[in-house]
Amino acid sequence: VRAPTRGYVQMLIERGIDPAKLALMPKSIDHQVFRPMPLAGRRTRKKMGMKDGLTLMYAGRVSPDKNLEILSRAYTELIHIRPDLNLLIVGDGPYLKELKSAMSGLPRVVFTGRVNREELPAIYSASDIFVFPSTTDTFGMAVLEAQACGLPAIVSEKGGPQEIVLPGVTGLVAASHDTAAWRQAIEHLIKLFHNDPAAFAAMRRAARSHALEAYGRETYLERILMVDDQLRGGAYPSNSRL
């Protein structure tokens, strides 16, 4: 049995799966597809009619289990003190109509609806900070894609996405149901963006570097070989660095 994160390996062990039959197998990213695309990003911003200012982005299924209510509340509070803050919601789902209603009257919120996967790198590149409050994702592929495109990411402390982000290096981890914690995390990166551009640029570079080093295709192939060795050996190493 292969699981995408350490958290879910532990969950499976707690549910009775034999550790000897378990191995960690995170997903991988194609860094040649998901990469910073500044020119395409600027064209995308213009195409979407986005106003000048820093842009937060969420990508994924728009459903209640993604904890988007916390993002809506945090953004609504922030826009009063950061009137140039954009929010881009990429995706479709059963919560879309309700979320649009909750954020009606906020002119800097843009909903794209469903988009083709090949459009995503340019959309990530049109943004500045990735926000992903979900608590139910086993891995969080959108977080990995965003990091590969050079976006600092803010994620919840529950679920798999927290294992992708290096807190303080490639992004931040916030308490999943604490609006104030999310507002503060977002504001921290906004201040970094405005007050210390060099540090923010370093975080962007670190996000991409970590995505490539930890989740690139070559690393993925190495993991497959290591997992095969683990399973043949009949033990899951609890201190694995995978």
Side-chain angles (χ1 to χ4, degrees):
V1 178
R2 302 183 183 187
T5 59
R6 295 181 184 89
Y8 277 82
V9 166
Q10 185 59 39
M11 181 185 72
L12 291 171
I13 291 173
E14 292 172 356
R15 293 188 178 185
I17 301 295
D18 183 356
K21 297 180 179 180
L22 281 168
L24 185 63
M25 180 52 65
K27 299 179 182 180
S28 67
I29 189 77
D30 187 339
H31 68 277
Q32 294 180 336
V33 173
F34 289 94
R35 68 188 193 280
M37 303 172 66
L39 292 178
R42 286 195 287 273
R43 289 195 297 268
T44 297
R45 288 178 69 94
K46 185 176 181 180
K47 179 182 177 181
M48 291 181 174
M50 295 171 63
K51 299 178 180 179
D52 290 340
L54 187 146
T55 298
L56 308 177
M57 175 188 171
Y58 166 85
R61 181 171 169 80
V62 183
S63 56
D65 62 290
K66 297 299 184 179
N67 199 29
L68 290 170
E69 184 180 355
I70 204 85
L71 177 58
S72 173
R73 291 201 300 263
Y75 176 80
T76 301
E77 293 179 8
L78 279 168
I79 196 66
H80 294 296
I81 57 175
R82 298 283 181 177
D84 62 343
L85 184 63
N86 301 317
L87 175 60
L88 184 59
I89 304 291
V90 180
D92 197 0
Y95 188 57
L96 182 60
K97 183 177 180 180
E98 187 175 344
L99 187 62
K100 282 185 174 180
S101 177
M103 308 193 81
S104 63
L106 299 175
R108 286 182 172 267
V109 180
V110 175
F111 292 88
T112 70
R114 188 183 302 275
V115 301
N116 295 323
R117 183 173 173 79
E118 57 266 25
E119 298 178 70
L120 284 172
I123 298 175
Y124 287 125
S125 297
S127 309
D128 300 294
I129 299 169
F130 193 68
V131 284
F132 198 77
S134 174
T135 62
T136 58
D137 282 62
T138 58
F139 183 75
M141 195 65 194
V143 178
L144 181 55
E145 292 170 353
Q147 296 258 281
C149 290
L151 291 189
I154 304 174
V155 300
S156 293
E157 91 290 7
K158 294 181 180 179
Q162 62 175 312
E163 295 186 22
I164 299 173
V165 173
L166 301 178
V169 179
T170 72
L172 298 172
V173 176
S176 55
H177 295 292
D178 187 337
T179 303
W182 271 85
R183 186 185 67 245
Q184 290 165 10
I186 294 170
E187 192 162 22
H188 175 79
L189 292 189
I190 292 174
K191 289 179 179 178
L192 198 66
F193 177 88
H194 288 296
N195 301 335
D196 195 345
F200 190 83
M203 183 173 280
R204 291 183 65 112
R205 290 193 299 271
R208 177 161 172 79
S209 295
H210 178 63
L212 269 58
E213 291 169 6
Y215 301 97
R217 292 295 171 86
E218 290 184 2
T219 303
Y220 185 74
L221 291 174
E222 291 175 1
R223 281 180 174 141
I224 290 176
L225 295 175
M226 291 180 70
V227 165
D228 288 342
D229 288 342
Q230 290 171 19
L231 295 182
R232 280 197 296 269
Y236 174 75
S238 60
N239 62 343
S240 171
R241 295 179 60 192
L242 287 178

